Amino acid sequence: MTDADQVRNSVVEEALGKLDLDTKTRLLAGQDMWSLPAVPEIGLKSLVMSDGPIGVRGVRWTADDPSIALPSPTALAAAWDPALARRAGRLLAQEARRKGVHVLLAPTVNLHRSPLGGRHFECYSEDPYLTGEVGAGYVNGVQDGGVGTTVKHFVGNDAETERFTVDSVIAPRPLRELYLAPFEAIVANAHPWGIMTAYNRVNGTTMTEHRYLVNEVLRGEWGFDGCNVSDWMAARSTAGDIEGGMDVAMPGPQSVYGPALAEAVRAGEVPESAVDEAVRNVLRLAARVGILEGAPAAVTEAPAEVDGQALARELAARGFVLVRNEAVAGRSAALPLDAAAGTVALLGAAARDARILGGGSATVFPERTVSPLDGLTAALPDGALTYCVGADPSEELTPAGKGFELRAVCRDASGAVIGEGSLPSGQVQWIGNDLPAGAAYETMASIEVTGTFLPRESGEHAFGTRGLGAFTLAVGGRTLWEGVQEMGNEADPFEAFFGAPSERARIDLAEGEPVEVSLTFHVPDMTALPLKAIMFSLLHLGPRRDADELIAEAVAAARAADTAVVVVATTDRVESEGFDRKDLSLPGRQDDLVRAVAAANPNTVVVVNAGSPVELPWREEVAAVLLTWFPGQEGGAALADVLLGDAEPGGRLPTTWPARFADAPVTEVVPADGRLEYREGLFIGYRAYEQQGVLPAFPFGHGLGYTDWAYESLEVTATTARVRLTNTGTRPGRETVQVYLAPKADAFERPASWLAAFAGVEAGPGESVEAEIALPERAFEIWDEETGGWRRIGGSYEVRASHSHGDTRLTVTLDIS
């Protein structure tokens, strides 16, 4: 413990001693959606929290205060570089400080247990070691900047179906070796200041009340001394939560803590010592972030300022995974392209209207977005690029976006304007106090989304709504629809709040001729609601052209070009918070588009923009396949960098891609009678593919750069692997050296092999480099269910230096006791 730690702890104890019971319990409950109350009498300012993992939204869901939007967490994990994750964290801390945020509600380190998990874009990987290393880098980076983190969702929140109530039934070994492992590694290596307990139950006990996992494991065994905050609306039991080790119940102002907790103490149902311990943790967090008077902040001088736009572009390229790159037309590989050597046909609606981030609570509003079309238009010579829609991944209405200039205007019952703000799209999502200045739930009678629309195409445009309640829709000054949307059969409250997209009217519009649009939402009485929120959207869908005609147009463009680049993608109706996927298919006619283009032009490059695996049934018919995840605001610029060779695609797969959905070993995400049993035990991801003898489309750790590497020697001790390799290509490059362990004879049920360690190396053409990689003790251990502790397993191991799980380059036998 440092001197500063001792001073902080002394100030915390002194402040705690000055608080009465009511003030203490009030401090454990959110005063609103995103903050805890100030206590001026002890010099405590209000502690402010904010989503999310890839950008800091702040306390307002508004584009008036834009945020840097980094690539998705899966993209960050695909870089296999904890130091890069740390740089990302430092940028986010910088953003948090700018927005007055003290604690970032991130990172998400649940595992990619099944590829159907709808929120996997917000998680890192299927592998606990990779997840823990990248997560620790991220946490260290954020906290380098004096901003707290809450590592989430502790634990077993690995799918979205029935996520508020599901009982994740996990045996002790997989719970320890897989699902708890990233949290344990981050506590050990990054000392996070916060953790977030999940909605779900684990083995019958709700996580916010899980005394064993929170008090005994997290705090007792691992030594976590931070603050434990509930996931939003996860806290359900006053006594159960405080005795289960949950410090803060969010959001407020209505909560199971606050007055309810004070009453429970006075009634003898809860010991005041439990309240004191929770308050101590909150005050320690406040001291660390510098808002408790007299206590030195953990960071007194912020790191050097980071160029957010430049880092977002670098992160995107470093996370892109090139999974296929075949020889074409006398060239050794399809990529990189030669910008001066020919023409490019860019195809796909996803190239024009880029999806840069996943849906749900991770959403932020960047100041700018660079689509693939924007990026390649800027990078290629005039006349070298043609563009066709080809196929649209979305066949339903989506929130008004391109071509719309919108504002939200709040009025009272008399029609007077009481608040207004700009909207980045037709989506309104206000929760708690997240309202335009001057607006209040008590006085708002209506909210009008209003502005202009400049059509990109002539023809019949569809408009609609999403959300629950009464609406009036007008286009061009004419009311097209008035009505009420009732609740449907949505199972998840998050999804129910939004409601299903509903078409309301169609109208003919002319390209380039602006038209006024307006959607008025009639605000209901929300007096009795514990959490006040307004969520609705103005939706739009452009003219529908014949799908075969669009594909034929794209084929003609591809045939006339030297290279065809097809961009395919998922949508927020396929991957988002609140629901899981049903299959791994790309939506719409995108597969048909790729096949048709590939048949017309053998030099076809496919860019896949998805947050987690999708089926690529045409993968062997095309020259190259590049995975871009959701690449953040600079994704299109980074794509141009990589396609044209100005940057190397630096990523390696953080999760296995199956050839077909039917090949995926673990697919269960739907509970039976409220229970989701992790029957597969230790065998998820690449462990399961190897156990079942199934070859994936692309193995865990796979990724191609723009140079070649010769692995020349491997030396191993019980603590270290040394790998010497040479860049045998003609370009500088980066290689991720992966070290796997495979027991030669095993008396215990273990995977056939597992990732033990990794390291990145860089070298110029012809240069050699040596990677010295520490082998962690835990790589040789299992959780012994009989003794309830870790057990080292001696014997002979094959140590593999690999390019990927499916591409071992060197092996050495290691005997350990």
Side-chain angles (χ1 to χ4, degrees), residues 459-658:
E460 189 177 56
H461 289 252
F463 290 85
T465 64
R466 187 180 182 191
L468 307 177
F471 297 93
T472 303
L473 171 67
V475 178
R478 184 161 60 95
T479 298
L480 299 182
W481 179 78
E482 273 189 285
V484 177
Q485 176 66 50
E486 306 287 354
M487 181 173 284
N489 59 356
E490 297 86 6
D492 188 284
F494 193 90
E495 192 177 6
F497 252 129
F498 283 108
S502 299
E503 182 178 315
R504 303 303 186 187
R506 296 189 180 193
I507 185 171
D508 285 325
L509 300 174
E511 177 185 349
E513 294 185 11
V515 63
E516 293 180 2
V517 294
S518 168
L519 177 66
T520 301
F521 173 70
H522 304 281
V523 179
D525 181 3
M526 290 184 280
T527 307
L529 294 180
L531 176 64
K532 296 175 175 58
I534 293 175
M535 299 185 185
F536 70 92
S537 298
L538 167 65
L539 306 179
H540 170 259
L541 184 64
R544 294 288 83 189
R545 292 177 55 197
D546 180 78
D548 290 332
E549 182 183 310
L550 287 175
I551 291 175
E553 188 178 87
V555 166
R559 191 174 286 121
D562 295 298
T563 302
V565 176
V566 186
V567 182
V568 297
T570 59
T571 70
D572 61 5
R573 296 288 285 172
V574 174
E575 288 185 275
S576 187
E577 180 177 352
F579 56 88
D580 292 310
R581 293 195 283 173
K582 302 292 189 290
D583 56 44
L584 303 183
S585 300
L586 284 168
R589 295 282 302 278
Q590 296 182 103
D591 286 335
D592 293 339
L593 172 65
V594 173
R595 283 198 169 106
V597 168
N601 189 331
N603 192 13
T604 292
V605 176
V606 183
V607 176
V608 182
N609 189 27
S612 48
V614 292
E615 289 181 344
L616 308 176
W618 33 258
R619 63 190 179 279
E620 295 181 359
E621 302 169 31
V622 301
V625 179
L626 180 69
L627 312 180
T628 62
W629 317 106
F630 299 137
Q633 68 176 58
E634 304 299 318
L639 179 63
D641 292 340
V642 166
L643 291 182
L644 299 177
D646 295 327
E648 184 180 40
R652 303 293 183 263
L653 284 179
T655 197
T656 307
W657 277 50

Side-chain angles (χ1 to χ4, degrees), residues 759-795:
V761 296
E762 296 180 359
E767 292 181 354
S768 297
V769 63
E770 185 173 271
E772 183 170 323
I773 308 171
L775 298 179
E777 290 184 14
R778 182 59 54 80
F780 299 96
E781 296 176 339
I782 67 168
W783 180 258
D784 190 324
E785 295 184 356
E786 290 186 9
T787 63
W790 292 99
R791 178 179 175 183
R792 184 176 176 87
I793 305 301

Side-chain angles (χ1 to χ4, degrees), residues 693-785:
V694 175
L695 284 177
F698 305 111
F700 176 78
H702 174 62
L704 307 171
Y706 286 159
T707 191
D708 297 312
W709 296 88
Y711 282 60
E712 296 174 343
S713 66
L714 169 63
E715 299 174 5
V716 177
T717 69
T719 59
T720 307
R722 284 188 179 84
V723 185
R724 183 174 178 81
L725 57 167
T726 297
N727 179 349
T728 59
T730 59
R731 294 171 51 108
R734 178 184 175 89
E735 173 72 336
T736 299
V737 182
Q738 302 162 39
V739 178
Y740 295 87
L741 295 181
K744 290 207 160 186
D746 209 347
F748 303 89
E749 183 186 35
R750 286 193 288 179
S753 63
W754 57 89
L755 180 69
F758 63 90
V761 296
E762 296 180 359
E767 292 181 354
S768 297
V769 63
E770 185 173 271
E772 183 170 323
I773 308 171
L775 298 179
E777 290 184 14
R778 182 59 54 80
F780 299 96
E781 296 176 339
I782 67 168
W783 180 258
D784 190 324
E785 295 184 356

Side-chain angles (χ1 to χ4, degrees), residues 51 53 105-111 119-120 122-123 131 150-160 163 168 170 175 179-180 182-183 186 195-202 207-208 213 228-232 234 361-362 577 678:
D51 286 322
L105 301 172
T108 304
V109 298
N110 302 109
L111 297 185
R119 201 176 178 182
H120 280 349
E122 196 176 313
C123 311
T131 298
T150 60
V151 188
K152 65 183 187 182
H153 306 88
F154 189 72
V155 62
N157 182 189
D158 307 297
E160 293 293 279
R163 62 178 175 153
S168 299
I170 314 172
L175 181 60
Y179 302 100
L180 286 172
F183 293 94
I186 293 169
I195 204 150
M196 182 188 291
T197 40
Y199 294 119
N200 54 282
R201 292 175 286 163
V202 169
M207 276 310 306
T208 54
L213 288 178
N228 174 14
V229 60
S230 74
D231 203 342
W232 266 229
S361 59
E577 180 177 352
Y678 289 38

